[in-house]
Amino acid sequence: MNESAPQAGRAAKMRRTRIAITEHARKLTAEHGLGGFTVETLCEQVGISRRTFFNYFPSKTEAVIGTPSDPLESEAVQRFVAAGARDGQISPTLLDEMVEVAIEMMDEVFDIAGTITHVNQIIAREPAFMEKFLTDSEEIHRQFSALIAEREGLSPTDPRIGLAIQVLGAMLHSTAHAFFDAQSTGSIGPRLRETLSHTRELFTGTPSLT
């Protein structure tokens, strides 16, 4: 336990620094645009060196996007994997539970350090950032493939895994564009669950309850 405590302390400090960099990078981008400030200016606001900045992010763009902490080790992911029967069959709740994991990840990506308003302003100023945020999230979700295979007891090459990822990706794109077009704040969860309901209606022909 004596060895794990310092490690936990370092991990917590690194997470605070990463969040602070993203928080200030988003604020500066919302106010001035990505080209309106330098890495040095960002470092000065955060209180770190240029070398420290590049230990966390390769560029200003990546700093603005940010990353969730331990995205594939969260409690939501652990619950997702544990919920499967591992019997080689697709669980009836697979897509619902994928959506819940996505909500947790997307909320942290979009609202890290409480900067969802800044994300709205950044996308309004520089619309290309919408795809950057989504691409970053999709890269994480592509890693769901191994988790789905483990959860459902499927071969990693089972085509249904890829289809599930594609359906989730399409729902995320549709929902995120509507979310930011409306300059929404708070969790993306209600909108994404509504999209899931509409998607199920499309596939089954059963009217949604929303």
Side-chain angles (χ1 to χ4, degrees), residues 50-205:
R50 179 183 173 90
R51 179 178 179 179
T52 297
F53 171 86
F54 285 110
N55 284 337
Y56 285 89
F57 296 104
S59 68
K60 288 189 295 182
T61 297
E62 295 300 320
V64 171
I65 294 170
T67 56
S69 58
D70 300 326
L72 297 181
E73 298 179 11
S74 69
E75 291 184 6
V77 169
Q78 293 172 12
R79 290 193 300 270
F80 171 78
V81 175
R86 295 173 171 80
D87 60 358
Q89 303 295 321
I90 296 294
S91 306
T93 59
L94 174 62
L95 197 56
D96 301 74
E97 288 157 0
M98 288 176 67
V99 163
E100 292 305 312
V101 175
I103 288 168
E104 179 178 286
M105 291 181 176
M106 296 284 279
D107 281 351
E108 187 165 357
V109 167
F110 287 148
D111 201 23
I112 189 170
T115 57
I116 189 66
T117 300
H118 292 150
V119 172
N120 274 315
Q121 293 170 348
I122 289 166
I123 291 172
R125 177 185 283 272
E126 300 192 31
F129 260 102
M130 167 68 82
E131 295 305 318
K132 294 182 186 299
F133 280 115
L134 289 176
T135 299
D136 181 74
S137 298
E138 286 168 0
E139 183 63 30
I140 294 171
H141 289 306
R142 275 194 287 271
Q143 297 176 48
F144 268 158
S145 295
L147 297 177
I148 295 171
E150 178 185 352
R151 168 197 157 104
E152 306 294 83
L154 300 173
S155 164
T157 60
D158 191 299
R160 292 172 293 180
I161 295 176
L163 287 172
I165 297 295
Q166 289 179 36
V167 170
L168 178 62
M171 289 194 297
L172 288 174
H173 264 92
S174 173
T175 303
H177 279 283
F179 184 83
F180 287 109
D181 284 349
Q183 297 189 341
S184 301
T185 58
S187 174
I188 200 170
R191 282 184 177 269
L192 188 52
R193 293 186 188 104
E194 182 180 18
T195 300
L196 173 61
S197 179
H198 292 161
T199 301
R200 181 173 289 110
E201 179 183 356
L202 179 66
F203 285 157
T204 66

Side-chain angles (χ1 to χ4, degrees), residues 25-37:
R26 289 183 178 179
K27 181 179 180 181
L28 287 167
T29 303
E31 293 175 350
H32 308 292
L34 188 64
F37 66 97

